[in-house]
């Protein structure tokens, strides 16, 4: 599995980088985790924060989505944990930083768009519930982090399971109705007809599935700072995180 490189700083964060570099002296590297439910805007916020800090950005949801797509294309039995674990070694998964996000490829074929297809979203819960597969993905996430001086990683279990000793942990939350409205706006902007009731129900189903699995469930780490993004923008959420990090450093 290949990994994204470091994020590019936007040049407005000299003080923060200096401060963080001092932290590196003590900690060798800095991991910042952002967990939260579907549709809350974690990727946008995590990318924004990584960019401001000049850190690497890791979209762990893309990993689960890529394994799901590979399993679907191989017509694997999605109810067979052993079969799903095997998919990891059967395919070459690559995650590369690209404009505004992460480019994902499977066996050399770009699947960045395909991993966002509704049928992949609907099936990803099968992959996400296999403890053995999660353990391998978590190990890959840790391996990647160990190669970076600083990383912002987002998902469901980053502060609880993958990086329990992370320097800073955030839990981003928002009202399901607001998340559904944002998702509908995104779909409409892409020219896709969006049915609000259906999107809302889908968000609630994903919340249930994320919170109720026994391996790596969605739950805030005890030491996470919760940010409610219901009525603030992604930029405001990044600013809140930065001011918290600055205050603590
Ligand atoms: O963040 P996302 O919607 O792209 O994530 C897709 C799915 O992957 C999500 O439904 C749950 C799963 N996931 C997970 O189980 N653990 C993570 N750390 C990230 C995502």
């Amino acid at each position: 599995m290949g990994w994204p490189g470091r994020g590019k700083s936007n040049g407005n964060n000299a003080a923060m980088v200096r401060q963080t570099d001092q932290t590196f002296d003590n900690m060798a590297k800095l991991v910042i985790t952002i967990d939260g439910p579907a549709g809350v805007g974690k990727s946008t916020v995590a990318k924004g924060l990584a960019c401001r800090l000049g850190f690497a950005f890791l979209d762990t949801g893309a990993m689960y989505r890529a394994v799901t797509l590979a399993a679907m294309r191989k017509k694997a039995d999605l109810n067979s944990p052993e079969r799903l674990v095997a998919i990891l070694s059967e395919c070459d998964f690559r995650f590369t930083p690209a404009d505004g996000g992460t480019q994902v490829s499977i066996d050399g074929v770009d699947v960045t768009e395909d991993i966002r297809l509704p049928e992949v979203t609907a099936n990803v819960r099968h992959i996400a519930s296999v403890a053995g597969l999660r353990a391998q993905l978590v190990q890959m996430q840790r391996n990647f982090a160990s190669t970076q001086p600083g990383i912002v990683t987002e998902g469901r279990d980053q502060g609880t399971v993958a990086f329990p000793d992370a320097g800073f942990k955030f839990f981003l939350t928002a009202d399901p109705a607001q998340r559904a409205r944002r998702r509908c706006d995104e779909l409409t902007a892409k020219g896709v007809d969006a049915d609000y009731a259906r999107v809302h129900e889908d968000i609630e189903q994903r919340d249930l599935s994320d919170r109720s699995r026994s391996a790596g469930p969605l739950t805030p780490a005890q030491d996470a700072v919760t940010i409610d993004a219901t009525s603030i923008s992604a930029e405001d959420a990044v600013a809140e995180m930065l001011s918290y990090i600055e205050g603590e450093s």
Side-chain angles (χ1 to χ4, degrees):
M1 197 173 280
W3 297 101
R6 266 189 105 178
K8 283 200 186 81
S9 164
N10 66 0
N12 295 334
N13 58 330
M16 175 59 65
V17 169
R18 267 199 305 279
Q19 199 162 21
T20 312
D21 280 344
Q22 280 163 12
T23 312
F24 291 163
D25 292 343
N26 303 328
M27 295 177 56
K29 63 187 161 59
L30 183 58
V31 176
I32 301 174
T33 62
I34 304 179
D35 289 307
V40 75
K42 291 185 301 297
S43 284
T44 309
V45 170
K47 265 181 269 177
L49 187 62
C51 182
R52 292 290 298 273
L53 295 170
F55 281 12
F57 158 65
L58 183 58
D59 171 1
T60 61
M63 299 170 73
Y64 288 88
R65 287 174 177 276
V67 179
T68 304
L69 181 65
M72 288 168 67
R73 290 196 170 162
K74 281 179 174 279
K75 303 204 181 330
D77 178 358
L78 298 182
N79 293 308
S80 163
E82 297 77 21
R83 185 70 197 95
L84 295 177
V85 171
I87 297 285
L88 267 183
S89 47
E90 286 173 16
C91 302
D92 179 29
F93 296 95
R94 301 220 163 243
F95 302 87
T96 319
D99 275 351
T102 306
Q103 190 204 24
V104 182
S105 71
I106 303 174
D107 295 334
V109 178
D110 188 340
V111 294
T112 311
E113 299 285 324
D114 294 358
I115 62 166
R116 309 280 160 197
L117 288 169
E119 50 269 38
V120 175
T121 306
N123 279 328
V124 74
R125 67 193 163 84
H126 294 284
I127 276 67
S129 63
V130 177
L133 201 151
R134 295 195 72 88
Q136 288 198 44
L137 291 185
V138 163
Q139 192 52 53
M140 291 171 187
Q141 292 154 14
R142 289 178 184 154
N143 291 347
F144 174 63
S146 72
T147 66
Q148 303 295 319
I151 177 175
V152 179
T153 177
E154 61 97 344
R156 305 296 191 283
D157 59 347
Q158 297 300 282
T160 48
V161 177
F163 301 101
D165 299 326
F168 297 97
K169 298 182 186 178
F170 296 100
F171 192 81
L172 199 59
T173 180
D175 179 54
Q178 175 64 3
R179 285 186 274 139
R181 266 192 297 277
R182 282 187 193 152
R183 181 75 190 123
C184 282
D185 290 347
E186 279 167 22
L187 290 168
T188 307
K190 283 186 188 168
V192 178
D193 260 350
D195 173 23
Y196 174 80
R198 205 163 158 202
V199 171
H200 188 271
E201 178 166 346
D202 181 51
I203 292 251
E204 295 208 307
Q205 284 297 324
R206 291 183 69 195
D207 284 358
L208 182 66
S209 157
D210 274 341
R211 291 197 169 110
S212 59
R213 69 173 161 261
S214 53
L218 171 67
T219 184
Q222 272 187 344
D223 48 349
V225 174
T226 295
I227 295 180
D228 187 341
T230 303
S231 46
I232 62 170
S233 67
E235 293 77 34
D236 289 343
V238 171
E240 225 176 282
M241 289 175 181
L242 279 171
S243 92
Y244 179 80
I245 292 167
E246 258 168 324
E248 293 288 308
S249 298

